[in-house]
Amino acid sequence: MTYTVAVRALCEFTAKQGDLDQRFTPSPSAQEGIAGHAAVQARRGAGYRSEVALEGGWGDLQVRGRADGYDPDQNLVEEIKTYRGKFASIPDNHRHLHWAQVRVYGHLLCRQLGLDRIHLALVYYEIGSGQETVLRETQDAPALAALFAGLCERFSDWARSEAAHRAKRDSSLAALRFPHADFRPGQRQLAENVYRANASGRCLLAQAPTGIGKTVGSLFPALKALPEQGLDKLFFLAAKTPGRRLALDAAASLGAGRTIALRVLELSARDKACEHPDKACQGESCPLARGFYDRLPAARAAAAQAAATTLLDREALRALALAHDVCPYYLGGEMARWSDMVVGDYNYYFDGGAMLFALAQSNGWRASVLVDEAHNMVARARAMYSVELDRTGLRAARANAPEPVRKALERVGRAWTGVDKDAPAPYQVLPALPGKLLDALQSATSTVNDFLAEFPGPLDPELQRFYFDALGFIRLAESFGDHSLCDLARAGVRDSTISIRNVVPAPFLAPRFAGAHSATLFSATLGPWHYFCDLLGMPPDTAWADVASPFSASQLEVHVATGISTRYQQRAASLVPIADLIARQYLAREGNYLAFFSSFDYLEQVLAQLAARHPQVPAWRQERRMSEAERAGFLARFVPGGRGVGFAVLGGSFGEGIDLPGERLIGAFVATLGLPQVNPVNEQLRERMGAMFGAGYDYTYLYPGMQKVVQAAGRVIRTETDHGVVWLIDDRFARAEVRALLPAWWDVDNRPAGSTIAT
């Protein structure tokens, strides 16, 4: 059975050795790396060949890759590496790996062209200065063939086991059966659409009601498609931890780690996975980084074996890593190469330095991508491609900076002052990127890189924070365009914030969708579809599915309180009517309710009125900055037979992603349209949305707000046996354009706030 491996993967598996060393991060971004390769290739002669596809076999192993460049006139193959800082600081074990790669390319070229010998070069390109450092050697074809055979022999046992695992995986997935006796209503429709999208290699936007089992309804057909479409990986991406947990539970219910040979991995954020947050990620500082690559083979083998009987979630991966004295976070990154299903946050595939996307591209993986609660994608993607610099952060970084860095930061401060003088308003969009400030930031980050090369170790926290922000600002400046704006906001005489603010993520995300075999985005609130297609950069042939609700209008009473306005100007007048409405509904039918408000201040004011006027109504509230245990305590009060009203903020922890079926929740009050605050930033966003899509107000305010409303109301009906009531409290809910954004199965009526409530 033939097993195919990328040149880079082969070399990283066999040639990495010694310590884990991340002291030189942040490394160039993927975009900077591509630009750096292009810059080097553009300097070469007319006959120079870029991205030369090469392939060769050894036994049952097939090795594929692309050499960065080949100059036939010099008989020279080049491997280009981009970096930041001083060349002398690149560790020897990094260069050892790079030499292995270029030698494999040299061997494959000798075989392809029938060469007796070849010249090899490692070209190191420093991103900041554009300077090249070139290391050369000449190798005979027999020596390169022997080196290639040695690497393949070291990899062959693993390749055979991986090929056997792939065959077993595909066989078990082909026989996979749905884990329940039947699909829930609506669940089958979702599953069929996901399956068709994977079968046709298209992307899909699927709007499906809450409570139908979207996680397993999307995961099952995607897994069935893996063997049928010859797919390598399935990436399940979620916005929050509960969504990732649901995916892991769904995989377990389908038999992962038991009846189906499916390796399932959960990726955690570095700060949550790190065992020694006070130490740098390099062998001289962290014991789990020291000798990491020497101990990795045993840890990797153990993890692959364990994945046959258990899910490699955060806890299981941590236990394995510590048993082999390696870093859990970087063991997770390694196992992403050898797992079939990877569960993680959106950023692992969609942000600028996304690990899963980079691995898929470099290894040629055919991957299916599932994106849960995808209504969050617009806001999350905007944040991924936005950055801000704060003047107070600059001062804090400068306060404890070493002397050469401090001087560089002072130059940043002087350039910043120039921007401040040219932009005196409290808030304004800058006409262009501040060129002098960018130059000063580039110089300052280079100075920090040089300092780290001389004195490796953790930076002062404030300096490190500003350093990362500055690098992010520089990177986004390189891709600045109509999809973003650069603005300055002032807070007092000395303090200002300069931001590159992404408003349309489409140019950044479109290559991510194009790089997937299929990508399915699903949520209860994905309408209107053109809003998401426009802002996320979905392909033109993206399919749209609006899954019919399994619920009937008789299950949910939906009332609009037409006599109340929750607009800011009328908010004080709304407090007593809302408190009275909540009390009347509760006393007419006692049970558990959720009441959602636009802010903590509004929540507190209505709660105070409820306590004063209706002390017999039990109530509890969402606190600001609740811990995980406090959030669990809030939800623990929603028990069958319970009584009371939980007050929460719309769009917060309790407005989506929680499941309170049956008597655990029988009603909800939504005292806001959820519209984002009208402020200078959002008004600029509205102008840009209007200019680009002709729908400034809808794209900026109405659609995002109503998505939160429908999500919150969707907490009430979770199963086909649930019954409940929803009060939409604001006269604007009676407007046709607002009603059009509510679920079609709702039967909404208008009621004055003081009308009689049926029991």
Side-chain angles (χ1 to χ4, degrees):
M1 182 181 298
T2 300
Y3 184 86
T4 301
V5 64
V7 169
R8 181 171 179 173
L10 171 69
C11 294
E12 287 181 339
F13 188 95
T14 56
K16 276 191 171 182
Q17 60 186 24
D19 295 349
L20 176 69
D21 195 335
Q22 298 296 318
R23 78 183 80 183
F24 306 102
T25 56
S27 60
S29 67
Q31 291 174 325
E32 289 173 322
I34 292 170
H37 278 66
V40 172
Q41 291 162 346
R43 295 172 178 176
R44 302 305 187 248
Y48 188 81
R49 295 167 53 195
S50 300
E51 305 300 323
V52 182
L54 298 168
E55 185 172 347
W58 184 89
D60 292 332
L61 197 61
Q62 197 69 12
V63 181
R64 295 175 180 171
R66 288 182 178 274
D68 290 329
Y70 177 63
D71 185 341
D73 294 335
Q74 299 186 61
N75 189 26
L76 173 70
V77 62
E78 293 186 322
E79 176 71 8
I80 303 168
K81 298 296 180 183
T82 57
Y83 72 102
R84 290 182 180 276
K86 290 187 176 181
F87 170 76
S89 301
I90 298 175
D92 289 340
N93 62 348
H94 287 206
R95 283 202 291 270
H96 177 76
L97 171 63
H98 302 158
W99 275 121
Q101 288 179 247
V102 73
R103 286 164 183 162
V104 170
Y105 288 128
H107 163 71
L108 295 177
L109 264 170
C110 285
R111 280 178 54 169
Q112 185 180 94
L113 302 178
L115 303 174
D116 294 328
R117 58 173 18 203
I118 195 168
H119 304 299
L120 310 175
L122 290 178
V123 180
Y124 290 95
Y125 178 82
E126 206 284 317
I127 289 291
S129 65
Q131 180 179 350
E132 293 181 31
T133 301
V134 182
L135 307 180
R136 294 195 180 209
E137 69 174 25
T138 300
Q139 289 277 5
D140 294 329
L144 290 176
L147 179 142
F148 178 73
L151 295 180
C152 290
E153 186 173 5
R154 291 173 60 188
F155 186 71
S156 60
D157 287 344
W158 182 266
R160 279 191 291 271
S161 68
E162 285 300 292
H165 166 73
R166 177 66 174 259
K168 187 176 180 181
R169 183 204 80 172
D170 287 353
S171 175
S172 60
L173 287 177
L176 181 64
R177 295 293 179 264
F178 195 65
H180 307 298
D182 200 0
F183 288 91
R184 297 182 191 177
Q187 195 178 41
R188 179 182 291 278
Q189 184 185 353
L190 172 64
E192 289 173 349
N193 277 281
V194 173
Y195 181 81
R196 282 196 292 268
N198 278 273
S200 61
R202 297 172 67 190
C203 291
L204 170 68
L205 281 170
Q207 180 169 269
T210 57
I212 69 166
K214 290 192 292 294
T215 303
V216 72
S218 59
L219 184 57
F220 172 71
L223 288 174
K224 290 291 289 184
L226 255 64
E228 295 175 13
Q229 301 302 318
L231 303 184
D232 302 298
K233 305 286 180 182
L234 174 62
F235 301 147
F236 191 104
L237 310 173
K240 300 176 182 178
T241 301
R244 297 194 290 277
R245 188 69 254 171
L246 285 173
L248 293 168
D249 292 343
S253 74
L254 288 165
R258 301 193 317 277
T259 58
I260 58 172
L262 187 76
R263 292 179 187 159
V264 180
L265 171 72
E266 180 187 17
L267 292 176
S268 300
R270 186 188 308 205
D271 59 345
K272 293 184 178 179
C274 182
E275 293 291 317
H276 300 287
D278 59 323
K279 296 178 172 60
C281 293
Q282 47 107 350
E284 296 174 12
S285 178
C286 178
L288 299 181
R290 190 176 308 120
F292 174 87
Y293 290 110
D294 300 328
R295 295 191 296 275
L296 178 60
R300 179 172 53 210
Q305 183 177 3
T309 57
T310 188
L311 304 183
L312 293 179
D313 59 13
R314 176 182 167 186
E315 294 77 16
L317 194 69
R318 176 179 182 270
L320 270 164
L322 296 183
H324 290 82
D325 292 324
V326 297
C327 171
Y329 176 76
Y330 286 100
L331 178 61
E334 174 66 19
M335 291 311 299
R337 303 169 185 271
W338 314 110
S339 298
D340 307 300
M341 173 179 166
V342 183
V343 179
D345 187 86
Y346 294 167
N347 66 287
Y348 279 106
Y349 190 80
F350 288 108
D351 80 5
M355 177 192 9
L356 292 179
F357 178 72
L359 285 173
Q361 293 297 105
S362 63
N363 290 283
W365 292 339
R366 302 181 73 229
S368 177
V369 180
L370 297 178
V371 183
D372 186 24
E373 299 294 357
H375 60 277
N376 291 295
M377 270 292 292
V378 172
R380 282 290 305 275
R382 281 173 171 161
M384 289 175 194
Y385 295 98
S386 298
V387 66
E388 67 177 32
L389 297 176
D390 188 88
R391 193 74 185 254
T392 58
L394 172 61
R395 286 197 292 269
R398 192 174 57 206
N400 295 311
E403 183 63 19
V405 174
R406 185 179 62 78
K407 289 183 177 179
L409 292 177
E410 287 173 352
R411 289 192 290 273
V412 171
R414 289 193 291 272
W416 197 317
T417 298
V419 180
D420 278 339
K421 289 179 179 178
D422 293 336
Y427 173 84
Q428 65 190 89
V429 174
L430 303 180
L433 291 173
K436 291 183 179 179
L437 178 61
L438 277 169
D439 291 342
L441 289 170
Q442 183 69 68
S443 175
T445 54
S446 295
T447 302
V448 173
N449 288 334
D450 292 343
F451 176 80
L452 286 172
E454 296 272 344
F455 306 100
L459 290 171
D460 173 79
E462 296 295 339
L463 175 57
Q464 178 172 291
R465 186 175 297 111
F466 186 81
Y467 171 58
F468 280 107
D469 289 343
L471 285 172
F473 196 92
I474 293 165
R475 288 173 178 172
L476 287 177
E478 294 174 353
S479 56
F480 188 77
D482 289 342
H483 51 74
S484 299
L485 55 85
C486 184
D487 59 21
L488 182 144
R490 193 179 306 284
V493 177
R494 299 182 63 217
D495 297 332
S496 61
T497 300
I498 299 176
S499 304
I500 294 178
R501 195 181 306 277
N502 178 254
V503 294
V504 181
F508 298 106
L509 300 190
R512 310 304 164 105
F513 292 119
H517 169 76
S518 173
T520 295
L521 281 63
F522 59 95
S523 168
T525 49
L526 276 186
W529 66 271
H530 57 79
Y531 168 80
F532 291 95
C533 283
D534 287 345
L535 295 187
L536 298 181
M538 306 292 291
D541 66 345
T542 295
W544 163 252
D546 193 357
V547 177
S549 174
F551 311 127
S552 67
S554 62
Q555 290 180 255
L556 184 66
E557 299 175 35
V558 184
H559 309 300
V560 174
T562 56
I564 300 175
S565 170
T566 64
R567 298 171 181 84
Y568 186 78
Q569 295 84 350
Q570 287 88 43
R571 189 159 295 172
S574 73
L575 303 179
V576 169
I578 294 175
D580 289 349
L581 173 59
I582 291 173
R584 281 199 310 277
Q585 176 62 54
Y586 175 81
L587 294 173
R589 183 186 173 192
E590 293 189 359
N592 292 323
Y593 293 83
L594 273 167
F596 294 98
F597 298 86
S598 57
S599 68
F600 282 102
D601 288 342
Y602 199 8
L603 176 158
E604 291 162 358
Q605 291 167 13
V606 175
L607 182 58
Q609 289 294 333
L610 182 69
R613 296 172 62 83
H614 307 283
Q616 72 275 35
V617 179
W620 57 97
R621 54 161 293 184
Q622 176 184 356
E623 302 290 343
R624 303 169 194 256
R625 296 177 291 278
M626 294 176 82
S627 67
E628 193 168 326
E630 289 170 333
R631 290 195 296 270
F634 180 94
L635 291 175
R637 299 189 67 165
F638 292 87
V639 296
R643 301 287 187 272
V645 183
F647 279 60
V649 173
L650 190 71
S653 302
F654 308 112
E656 62 178 80
I658 62 170
D659 199 22
L660 301 171
E663 291 186 359
R664 293 186 66 189
L665 185 68
I666 65 168
F669 308 90
V670 184
T672 171
L673 267 70
L675 306 180
Q677 184 183 21
V678 177
N679 57 35
V681 173
N682 283 332
E683 284 298 281
Q684 286 293 327
L685 183 60
R686 180 183 60 78
E687 288 187 20
R688 188 65 60 88
M689 295 295 97
M692 297 181 74
F693 307 113
Y697 176 79
D698 291 348
Y699 275 39
T700 305
Y701 295 106
L702 184 59
Y703 296 160
M706 290 303 295
Q707 287 161 15
K708 295 177 185 177
V709 169
V710 176
Q711 281 287 331
R715 301 310 99 200
V716 178
I717 303 298
R718 308 299 295 176
T719 73
E720 294 172 72
T721 60
D722 286 356
H723 288 81
V725 60
V726 168
W727 279 92
L728 303 176
I729 306 173
D730 192 285
D731 52 31
R732 288 169 290 178
F733 281 116
R735 294 179 178 176
E737 68 272 19
V738 175
R739 294 279 274 267
L741 298 173
L742 299 176
W745 66 275
W746 287 9
D747 184 9
V748 184
D749 69 10
N750 298 333
R751 294 195 182 189
S755 60
T756 302
I757 295 174
T759 60

PDB file of all heavy atoms in Angstrom, residues 115-130:
ATOM      1  N   LEU A 115      20.897  13.783 -13.342  1.00  0.00           N
ATOM      2  CA  LEU A 115      22.128  14.506 -13.025  1.00  0.00           C
ATOM      3  C   LEU A 115      23.069  13.640 -12.187  1.00  0.00           C
ATOM      4  O   LEU A 115      22.635  12.835 -11.358  1.00  0.00           O
ATOM      5  CB  LEU A 115      21.794  15.794 -12.258  1.00  0.00           C
ATOM      6  CG  LEU A 115      20.830  16.770 -12.942  1.00  0.00           C
ATOM      7  CD1 LEU A 115      20.496  17.921 -11.986  1.00  0.00           C
ATOM      8  CD2 LEU A 115      21.438  17.294 -14.244  1.00  0.00           C
ATOM      9  N   ASP A 116      24.377  13.828 -12.385  1.00  0.00           N
ATOM     10  CA  ASP A 116      25.384  13.134 -11.579  1.00  0.00           C
ATOM     11  C   ASP A 116      25.682  13.883 -10.287  1.00  0.00           C
ATOM     12  O   ASP A 116      26.091  13.282  -9.294  1.00  0.00           O
ATOM     13  CB  ASP A 116      26.686  12.977 -12.371  1.00  0.00           C
ATOM     14  CG  ASP A 116      26.503  12.054 -13.574  1.00  0.00           C
ATOM     15  OD1 ASP A 116      25.676  11.126 -13.482  1.00  0.00           O
ATOM     16  OD2 ASP A 116      27.178  12.291 -14.595  1.00  0.00           O
ATOM     17  N   ARG A 117      25.536  15.179 -10.314  1.00  0.00           N
ATOM     18  CA  ARG A 117      25.780  16.002  -9.126  1.00  0.00           C
ATOM     19  C   ARG A 117      24.952  17.270  -9.245  1.00  0.00           C
ATOM     20  O   ARG A 117      24.452  17.616 -10.303  1.00  0.00           O
ATOM     21  CB  ARG A 117      27.259  16.345  -8.957  1.00  0.00           C
ATOM     22  CG  ARG A 117      27.858  17.082 -10.128  1.00  0.00           C
ATOM     23  CD  ARG A 117      29.290  17.576  -9.893  1.00  0.00           C
ATOM     24  NE  ARG A 117      29.985  16.952  -8.804  1.00  0.00           N
ATOM     25  CZ  ARG A 117      31.014  17.496  -8.154  1.00  0.00           C
ATOM     26  NH1 ARG A 117      31.451  18.702  -8.525  1.00  0.00           N
ATOM     27  NH2 ARG A 117      31.610  16.884  -7.175  1.00  0.00           N
ATOM     28  N   ILE A 118      24.846  18.002  -8.110  1.00  0.00           N
ATOM     29  CA  ILE A 118      24.018  19.204  -8.099  1.00  0.00           C
ATOM     30  C   ILE A 118      24.521  20.142  -7.020  1.00  0.00           C
ATOM     31  O   ILE A 118      25.091  19.705  -6.001  1.00  0.00           O
ATOM     32  CB  ILE A 118      22.526  18.843  -7.865  1.00  0.00           C
ATOM     33  CG1 ILE A 118      21.608  20.018  -8.215  1.00  0.00           C
ATOM     34  CG2 ILE A 118      22.286  18.357  -6.441  1.00  0.00           C
ATOM     35  CD1 ILE A 118      20.132  19.637  -8.290  1.00  0.00           C
ATOM     36  N   HIS A 119      24.354  21.435  -7.246  1.00  0.00           N
ATOM     37  CA  HIS A 119      24.688  22.444  -6.245  1.00  0.00           C
ATOM     38  C   HIS A 119      23.431  22.761  -5.431  1.00  0.00           C
ATOM     39  O   HIS A 119      22.329  22.879  -5.982  1.00  0.00           O
ATOM     40  CB  HIS A 119      25.209  23.716  -6.911  1.00  0.00           C
ATOM     41  CG  HIS A 119      26.387  23.490  -7.797  1.00  0.00           C
ATOM     42  ND1 HIS A 119      27.588  22.993  -7.335  1.00  0.00           N
ATOM     43  CD2 HIS A 119      26.556  23.673  -9.138  1.00  0.00           C
ATOM     44  CE1 HIS A 119      28.443  22.888  -8.331  1.00  0.00           C
ATOM     45  NE2 HIS A 119      27.835  23.296  -9.444  1.00  0.00           N
ATOM     46  N   LEU A 120      23.613  22.910  -4.136  1.00  0.00           N
ATOM     47  CA  LEU A 120      22.504  23.173  -3.218  1.00  0.00           C
ATOM     48  C   LEU A 120      22.751  24.479  -2.476  1.00  0.00           C
ATOM     49  O   LEU A 120      23.899  24.806  -2.149  1.00  0.00           O
ATOM     50  CB  LEU A 120      22.358  22.041  -2.194  1.00  0.00           C
ATOM     51  CG  LEU A 120      22.316  20.615  -2.740  1.00  0.00           C
ATOM     52  CD1 LEU A 120      22.305  19.619  -1.580  1.00  0.00           C
ATOM     53  CD2 LEU A 120      21.099  20.408  -3.627  1.00  0.00           C
ATOM     54  N   ALA A 121      21.662  25.205  -2.205  1.00  0.00           N
ATOM     55  CA  ALA A 121      21.805  26.468  -1.469  1.00  0.00           C
ATOM     56  C   ALA A 121      20.640  26.654  -0.507  1.00  0.00           C
ATOM     57  O   ALA A 121      19.474  26.430  -0.860  1.00  0.00           O
ATOM     58  CB  ALA A 121      21.869  27.646  -2.438  1.00  0.00           C
ATOM     59  N   LEU A 122      20.975  27.074   0.702  1.00  0.00           N
ATOM     60  CA  LEU A 122      19.983  27.580   1.652  1.00  0.00           C
ATOM     61  C   LEU A 122      20.045  29.100   1.584  1.00  0.00           C
ATOM     62  O   LEU A 122      21.103  29.696   1.801  1.00  0.00           O
ATOM     63  CB  LEU A 122      20.293  27.120   3.079  1.00  0.00           C
ATOM     64  CG  LEU A 122      20.099  25.637   3.386  1.00  0.00           C
ATOM     65  CD1 LEU A 122      20.504  25.346   4.832  1.00  0.00           C
ATOM     66  CD2 LEU A 122      18.649  25.220   3.166  1.00  0.00           C
ATOM     67  N   VAL A 123      18.907  29.712   1.262  1.00  0.00           N
ATOM     68  CA  VAL A 123      18.840  31.163   1.142  1.00  0.00           C
ATOM     69  C   VAL A 123      18.006  31.690   2.305  1.00  0.00           C
ATOM     70  O   VAL A 123      16.797  31.455   2.367  1.00  0.00           O
ATOM     71  CB  VAL A 123      18.215  31.591  -0.200  1.00  0.00           C
ATOM     72  CG1 VAL A 123      18.173  33.112  -0.294  1.00  0.00           C
ATOM     73  CG2 VAL A 123      18.991  30.986  -1.369  1.00  0.00           C
ATOM     74  N   TYR A 124      18.649  32.396   3.221  1.00  0.00           N
ATOM     75  CA  TYR A 124      17.957  32.981   4.375  1.00  0.00           C
ATOM     76  C   TYR A 124      17.683  34.452   4.083  1.00  0.00           C
ATOM     77  O   TYR A 124      18.606  35.235   3.857  1.00  0.00           O
ATOM     78  CB  TYR A 124      18.803  32.825   5.640  1.00  0.00           C
ATOM     79  CG  TYR A 124      18.901  31.386   6.109  1.00  0.00           C
ATOM     80  CD1 TYR A 124      19.971  30.585   5.736  1.00  0.00           C
ATOM     81  CD2 TYR A 124      17.905  30.836   6.907  1.00  0.00           C
ATOM     82  CE1 TYR A 124      20.066  29.267   6.151  1.00  0.00           C
ATOM     83  CE2 TYR A 124      17.985  29.509   7.334  1.00  0.00           C
ATOM     84  CZ  TYR A 124      19.057  28.733   6.951  1.00  0.00           C
ATOM     85  OH  TYR A 124      19.132  27.420   7.368  1.00  0.00           O
ATOM     86  N   TYR A 125      16.407  34.796   4.091  1.00  0.00           N
ATOM     87  CA  TYR A 125      15.970  36.146   3.720  1.00  0.00           C
ATOM     88  C   TYR A 125      15.409  36.835   4.955  1.00  0.00           C
ATOM     89  O   TYR A 125      14.424  36.371   5.540  1.00  0.00           O
ATOM     90  CB  TYR A 125      14.903  36.051   2.627  1.00  0.00           C
ATOM     91  CG  TYR A 125      14.336  37.381   2.175  1.00  0.00           C
ATOM     92  CD1 TYR A 125      14.999  38.166   1.245  1.00  0.00           C
ATOM     93  CD2 TYR A 125      13.118  37.838   2.673  1.00  0.00           C
ATOM     94  CE1 TYR A 125      14.480  39.377   0.808  1.00  0.00           C
ATOM     95  CE2 TYR A 125      12.582  39.047   2.251  1.00  0.00           C
ATOM     96  CZ  TYR A 125      13.266  39.811   1.325  1.00  0.00           C
ATOM     97  OH  TYR A 125      12.738  41.009   0.901  1.00  0.00           O
ATOM     98  N   GLU A 126      16.059  37.925   5.369  1.00  0.00           N
ATOM     99  CA  GLU A 126      15.613  38.678   6.555  1.00  0.00           C
ATOM    100  C   GLU A 126      14.507  39.638   6.138  1.00  0.00           C
ATOM    101  O   GLU A 126      14.722  40.506   5.281  1.00  0.00           O
ATOM    102  CB  GLU A 126      16.785  39.437   7.164  1.00  0.00           C
ATOM    103  CG  GLU A 126      16.623  39.716   8.666  1.00  0.00           C
ATOM    104  CD  GLU A 126      15.650  40.849   8.955  1.00  0.00           C
ATOM    105  OE1 GLU A 126      15.724  41.872   8.246  1.00  0.00           O
ATOM    106  OE2 GLU A 126      14.815  40.702   9.876  1.00  0.00           O
ATOM    107  N   ILE A 127      13.338  39.456   6.735  1.00  0.00           N
ATOM    108  CA  ILE A 127      12.139  40.181   6.315  1.00  0.00           C
ATOM    109  C   ILE A 127      12.319  41.697   6.421  1.00  0.00           C
ATOM    110  O   ILE A 127      11.931  42.453   5.523  1.00  0.00           O
ATOM    111  CB  ILE A 127      10.921  39.734   7.150  1.00  0.00           C
ATOM    112  CG1 ILE A 127      10.497  38.318   6.759  1.00  0.00           C
ATOM    113  CG2 ILE A 127       9.754  40.687   6.980  1.00  0.00           C
ATOM    114  CD1 ILE A 127       9.903  38.201   5.386  1.00  0.00           C
ATOM    115  N   GLY A 128      12.902  42.143   7.518  1.00  0.00           N
ATOM    116  CA  GLY A 128      12.999  43.579   7.745  1.00  0.00           C
ATOM    117  C   GLY A 128      13.918  44.290   6.771  1.00  0.00           C
ATOM    118  O   GLY A 128      13.564  45.328   6.205  1.00  0.00           O
ATOM    119  N   SER A 129      15.098  43.735   6.539  1.00  0.00           N
ATOM    120  CA  SER A 129      16.108  44.417   5.713  1.00  0.00           C
ATOM    121  C   SER A 129      16.111  43.968   4.263  1.00  0.00           C
ATOM    122  O   SER A 129      16.654  44.649   3.386  1.00  0.00           O
ATOM    123  CB  SER A 129      17.501  44.168   6.298  1.00  0.00           C
ATOM    124  OG  SER A 129      17.826  42.775   6.221  1.00  0.00           O
ATOM    125  N   GLY A 130      15.532  42.797   3.986  1.00  0.00           N
ATOM    126  CA  GLY A 130      15.598  42.254   2.633  1.00  0.00           C
ATOM    127  C   GLY A 130      16.939  41.632   2.294  1.00  0.00           C
ATOM    128  O   GLY A 130      17.203  41.281   1.144  1.00  0.00           O
TER     129      GLY A 130
END
